[in-house]
Every structure is written in C-alpha cells, then in structure tokens.
Amino acid sequence: MGEEDAMTAPTLAVIPTKNRPEFLADCVNSLDGQVHGILIVDNGSNPPTSAFPGLSSDLRIIRHAEYPPNISRLWNLGIDEVARTAETNGWGAWNVLVVNDDIVAPDELVVTLSAAMRATTAVCAYPDQFGVGQRMLHTAAQPTLVQERICGYCFMLRGEAGIRADEDFVWWFGDDTIDWESRQAGGSLLVPGVRVEHRAPDVQTRADPVLSEQTDRDHKTWITKWGYERPVLM
C-alpha cells in the first residue's frame, strides 16, 4: 500500500485524559486535520472535558471515571469505539492512532506512520524518538534495544487486525505487550522522520504513590506473561 493509498485509509485518534486541559488542547490541535476523527476518553476530569470549537476533525468524548485508572481499558474503550465506527461506515481498513494527552504531533505524523505500516506486514507503527534513523520491523517477541521499542505515548494500530490492550496491565507494560503481540501478528514497525514532542513524561506516575505501586505489580504481571525481566535491552 503506497502513501497515496495510506492517506485514504481513515485514521481516528484515541486520547485518554484526566485534568490536563492545557496539554490536551495542544495535542488535539496538533492532530486536527491529520485524522478523520478524534476520540477523547475522559477518565473523570473535573470539570469534564468539553468539545473543542473550530476543529476540522470530528471529535467525540467517552466518559469513564475509575481510580486507579486502567490505561489499557481506556485504550480499549477508544479502540472499540473506532472499530464500531469502521463497521458503521463499511471501512475494510482503518488506522487507530493512540496518543497521550501530553504529546504534540508534527505535521505528516499520521500519513507517514500509515504509509510505512501499510507498506509492510506490520500491524503497529510508532515514531523513532531516539534517532535510530531507519525503519525497523520487529517480528519476534523478545527484548530489543530501548531506543527500538514501541513509543508508548504515540503508536498506530492497523485497525482491521483487531489488536487490543491486555487489561491485566493496569498502568505500565501495556504498551510493551501491544508491541510484542503486534510482532507476533505481523510486525511492529519503528518509523523515522516524525518525532513527537512528549511534554510531561512519567509525571503522573511519580506524583501518585498508588500508580507507582501499580507499576511494580504490572512488572510482575509482565514477567509472568512473557518470561522476561524487562522488555528492553539497556
């Protein structure tokens, strides 16, 4: 599938959020016009997230308040809603762009990831955040260099492949599991040239002891599921 065809594959963005309106606004504005629709999964913001006026992309909001948040469930709520939209519209192929609310996307992020992914067997694609500088298709569920692993705050899924997050991973390691399961389903692809800005890495985890403790439990779940201590080689 070439770049022109990739541009016609509908892409909807899924953005979980809670109480970070300034970050969210910049994220939404950076994606507006690149995607066919934006689906915000509001995890109990106060005040609740409301519509953004003047967008060219369709915007919908799912409200799901739970604490502690299960980020894998929030992703799945969005991914499932995108799948229903695809079925309603009769799409045979579509993309799901999953991003944190604190990223700012560069121009051409969506078309670049889509074109690269659909030119291969990959069912997941993500930006090269460390300057590796070349496409890398991973097809084995085993540790890779940290700079080659999935970008957990910005990744694209081939929607029709049916990839979902494992909700046993509540806060951490859910992105790595998507990465490894995608490798087994056709490949997970590192794509150079579209580095995103990540504005507040790990702030929520460090600020909340409950989430920090959950990270330890998620690590144990990772070891049980995959048999490796870590998903990356340092």
Side-chain angles (χ1 to χ4, degrees):
M1 193 173 194
E3 182 169 338
E4 183 176 351
D5 293 326
M7 292 177 68
T8 67
T11 299
L12 280 78
V14 171
I15 313 174
T17 193
K18 182 177 182 179
N19 292 333
R20 303 209 293 184
E22 296 84 4
F23 285 147
L24 179 62
D26 289 343
C27 177
V28 167
N29 287 329
S30 73
L31 291 172
D32 186 35
Q34 295 196 52
V35 295
H36 292 73
I38 297 171
L39 207 159
I40 295 172
V41 185
D42 187 348
N43 182 224
S45 295
N46 185 20
T49 301
S50 58
F52 291 77
L55 296 180
S56 59
S57 302
D58 177 58
L59 185 138
R60 284 172 280 167
I61 300 172
I62 293 176
R63 304 197 187 278
H64 182 82
E66 65 172 349
Y67 182 82
N70 184 321
I71 188 64
S72 296
R73 183 175 298 125
L74 299 179
W75 287 339
N76 283 341
L77 286 169
I79 294 168
D80 288 344
E81 180 62 24
V82 173
R84 286 189 287 270
T85 299
E87 182 178 7
T88 298
N89 288 282
W91 297 338
W94 67 96
N95 305 319
V96 186
L97 181 71
V98 180
V99 299
N100 281 20
D101 61 1
D102 62 344
I103 71 107
V104 176
D107 295 341
E108 307 301 320
L109 172 69
V110 170
V111 68
T112 301
L113 291 181
S114 179
M117 181 175 69
R118 292 186 175 275
T120 71
T121 60
V123 299
C124 177
Y126 50 92
D128 174 9
Q129 292 293 99
F130 293 93
V132 174
Q134 61 180 342
R135 292 185 187 179
M136 300 188 71
L137 180 65
H138 296 288
T139 57
Q142 61 188 26
T144 51
L145 294 174
V146 64
Q147 61 265 33
E148 298 171 8
R149 71 174 287 273
I150 191 171
C151 175
Y153 45 88
C154 177
F155 56 90
M156 178 178 284
L157 300 175
R158 187 188 294 257
E160 67 274 16
I163 300 295
R164 296 293 186 274
D166 183 341
E167 295 182 17
D168 287 343
F169 295 95
V170 174
W171 191 243
W172 269 38
F173 297 99
D175 52 346
D176 294 296
T177 291
I178 286 174
D179 184 9
W180 284 29
E181 291 183 346
S182 294
R183 297 179 195 187
Q184 296 174 321
S188 190
L189 184 68
L190 174 73
V191 181
V194 282
R195 185 179 186 276
V196 302
E197 179 185 355
H198 190 203
R199 301 173 67 188
D202 294 335
V203 167
Q204 290 172 303
T205 304
R206 293 195 302 268
D208 190 337
V210 172
L211 295 180
S212 295
E213 292 170 5
Q214 182 60 52
T215 297
D216 292 335
R217 289 191 289 272
D218 288 336
H219 187 204
K220 293 181 176 67
T221 303
W222 169 270
I223 295 171
T224 299
K225 182 179 179 76
W226 294 106
Y228 290 92
E229 177 75 12
R230 299 286 294 176
V232 296
L233 302 172
M234 305 302 288

